[in-house]
Short mmCIF file of all heavy atoms in Angstrom, two decimals:
data_model
loop_
_atom_site.label_atom_id
_atom_site.label_comp_id
_atom_site.label_asym_id
_atom_site.label_seq_id
_atom_site.Cartn_x
_atom_site.Cartn_y
_atom_site.Cartn_z
N LEU A 28 90.72 97.00 90.03
CA LEU A 28 89.65 96.94 90.98
C LEU A 28 88.57 95.94 90.56
O LEU A 28 88.04 95.14 91.33
CB LEU A 28 89.01 98.32 91.23
CG LEU A 28 88.24 98.52 92.49
CD1 LEU A 28 89.13 98.43 93.70
CD2 LEU A 28 87.63 99.94 92.51
N ALA A 29 88.25 95.98 89.25
CA ALA A 29 87.29 95.05 88.69
C ALA A 29 87.74 93.62 88.80
O ALA A 29 86.92 92.69 89.14
CB ALA A 29 86.97 95.43 87.28
N ALA A 30 89.08 93.35 88.59
CA ALA A 30 89.58 92.03 88.69
C ALA A 30 89.54 91.58 90.17
O ALA A 30 89.24 90.40 90.48
CB ALA A 30 91.03 92.02 88.15
N GLY A 31 89.80 92.48 91.12
CA GLY A 31 89.76 92.15 92.50
C GLY A 31 88.32 91.79 92.85
O GLY A 31 88.11 90.82 93.68
N TRP A 32 87.34 92.45 92.25
CA TRP A 32 85.92 92.13 92.62
C TRP A 32 85.54 90.72 92.12
O TRP A 32 84.85 89.94 92.72
CB TRP A 32 85.01 93.15 91.97
CG TRP A 32 83.54 92.85 92.26
CD1 TRP A 32 82.63 92.33 91.32
CD2 TRP A 32 82.87 93.01 93.44
NE1 TRP A 32 81.44 92.19 91.91
CE2 TRP A 32 81.54 92.57 93.19
CE3 TRP A 32 83.14 93.46 94.74
CZ2 TRP A 32 80.52 92.62 94.17
CZ3 TRP A 32 82.18 93.49 95.71
CH2 TRP A 32 80.92 93.08 95.45
N ARG A 33 86.10 90.38 90.93
CA ARG A 33 85.81 89.02 90.38
C ARG A 33 86.43 87.92 91.31
O ARG A 33 85.77 86.89 91.51
CB ARG A 33 86.46 88.92 88.93
CG ARG A 33 85.63 89.69 87.93
CD ARG A 33 86.03 89.28 86.55
NE ARG A 33 87.42 89.63 86.20
CZ ARG A 33 87.81 90.75 85.71
NH1 ARG A 33 86.93 91.72 85.47
NH2 ARG A 33 89.07 90.98 85.43
N ASP A 34 87.59 88.23 91.85
CA ASP A 34 88.20 87.26 92.79
C ASP A 34 87.35 87.17 94.06
O ASP A 34 87.29 86.11 94.65
CB ASP A 34 89.61 87.66 93.08
CG ASP A 34 90.56 87.32 91.94
OD1 ASP A 34 90.17 86.72 90.96
OD2 ASP A 34 91.75 87.68 92.08
N LEU A 35 86.86 88.27 94.52
CA LEU A 35 86.08 88.34 95.76
C LEU A 35 84.83 87.48 95.67
O LEU A 35 84.50 86.71 96.55
CB LEU A 35 85.72 89.75 96.12
CG LEU A 35 85.16 90.07 97.56
CD1 LEU A 35 85.39 91.49 97.93
CD2 LEU A 35 83.67 89.76 97.64
N VAL A 36 84.14 87.67 94.55
CA VAL A 36 82.84 86.93 94.39
C VAL A 36 83.00 85.53 94.01
O VAL A 36 82.06 84.76 94.00
CB VAL A 36 81.92 87.68 93.38
CG1 VAL A 36 81.58 89.05 93.78
CG2 VAL A 36 82.56 87.70 91.98
N ARG A 37 84.21 85.09 93.69
CA ARG A 37 84.50 83.64 93.45
C ARG A 37 84.84 83.06 94.81
O ARG A 37 85.81 83.41 95.39
CB ARG A 37 85.67 83.53 92.52
CG ARG A 37 85.96 82.04 92.18
CD ARG A 37 86.83 81.91 90.98
NE ARG A 37 87.20 80.50 90.73
CZ ARG A 37 87.88 80.10 89.74
NH1 ARG A 37 88.40 80.95 88.87
NH2 ARG A 37 88.12 78.80 89.58
N SER A 38 84.04 82.18 95.34
CA SER A 38 84.14 81.68 96.67
C SER A 38 84.16 82.84 97.72
O SER A 38 85.14 83.06 98.41
CB SER A 38 85.46 80.88 96.83
OG SER A 38 85.49 80.26 98.07
N PRO A 39 83.07 83.67 97.69
CA PRO A 39 83.08 84.88 98.46
C PRO A 39 83.22 84.68 99.94
O PRO A 39 83.70 85.56 100.65
CB PRO A 39 81.69 85.50 98.09
CG PRO A 39 80.86 84.36 97.69
CD PRO A 39 81.77 83.38 96.98
N LEU A 40 82.77 83.56 100.49
CA LEU A 40 82.78 83.37 101.95
C LEU A 40 84.19 83.36 102.48
O LEU A 40 84.48 83.90 103.59
CB LEU A 40 82.06 82.09 102.36
CG LEU A 40 80.62 82.04 102.12
CD1 LEU A 40 80.03 80.65 102.53
CD2 LEU A 40 79.90 83.17 102.91
N THR A 41 85.17 82.93 101.74
CA THR A 41 86.51 82.95 102.16
C THR A 41 87.06 84.38 102.32
O THR A 41 87.68 84.72 103.25
CB THR A 41 87.43 82.21 101.21
OG1 THR A 41 87.27 82.71 99.87
CG2 THR A 41 87.11 80.69 101.19
N SER A 42 86.79 85.18 101.23
CA SER A 42 87.21 86.60 101.30
C SER A 42 86.49 87.34 102.44
O SER A 42 87.12 88.17 103.10
CB SER A 42 86.97 87.26 100.00
OG SER A 42 87.81 86.71 99.00
N LEU A 43 85.21 87.19 102.56
CA LEU A 43 84.45 87.86 103.57
C LEU A 43 84.84 87.42 104.94
O LEU A 43 84.85 88.26 105.88
CB LEU A 43 82.95 87.70 103.35
CG LEU A 43 82.38 88.31 102.04
CD1 LEU A 43 80.95 88.03 101.90
CD2 LEU A 43 82.64 89.84 101.97
N ALA A 44 85.17 86.14 105.14
CA ALA A 44 85.61 85.68 106.46
C ALA A 44 86.96 86.35 106.78
O ALA A 44 87.20 86.71 107.93
CB ALA A 44 85.78 84.16 106.45
N TYR A 45 87.78 86.46 105.81
CA TYR A 45 89.09 87.14 105.99
C TYR A 45 88.91 88.57 106.39
O TYR A 45 89.60 89.14 107.25
CB TYR A 45 89.96 87.02 104.74
CG TYR A 45 91.44 87.22 104.88
CD1 TYR A 45 92.31 86.17 105.15
CD2 TYR A 45 91.95 88.51 104.92
CE1 TYR A 45 93.68 86.38 105.33
CE2 TYR A 45 93.30 88.74 105.06
CZ TYR A 45 94.15 87.65 105.22
OH TYR A 45 95.48 87.90 105.37
N GLY A 46 88.01 89.22 105.67
CA GLY A 46 87.70 90.60 105.95
C GLY A 46 87.09 90.80 107.33
O GLY A 46 87.44 91.74 108.05
N THR A 47 86.29 89.87 107.75
CA THR A 47 85.70 89.83 109.13
C THR A 47 86.80 89.77 110.20
O THR A 47 86.76 90.35 111.21
CB THR A 47 84.59 88.77 109.21
OG1 THR A 47 83.62 89.01 108.22
CG2 THR A 47 84.02 88.83 110.62
#
Side-chain angles (χ1 to χ4, degrees):
L28 202 63
W32 179 257
R33 288 194 294 271
D34 284 357
L35 192 158
V36 297
R37 182 167 178 178
S38 186
L40 291 181
T41 55
S42 295
L43 295 177
Y45 197 94
T47 301

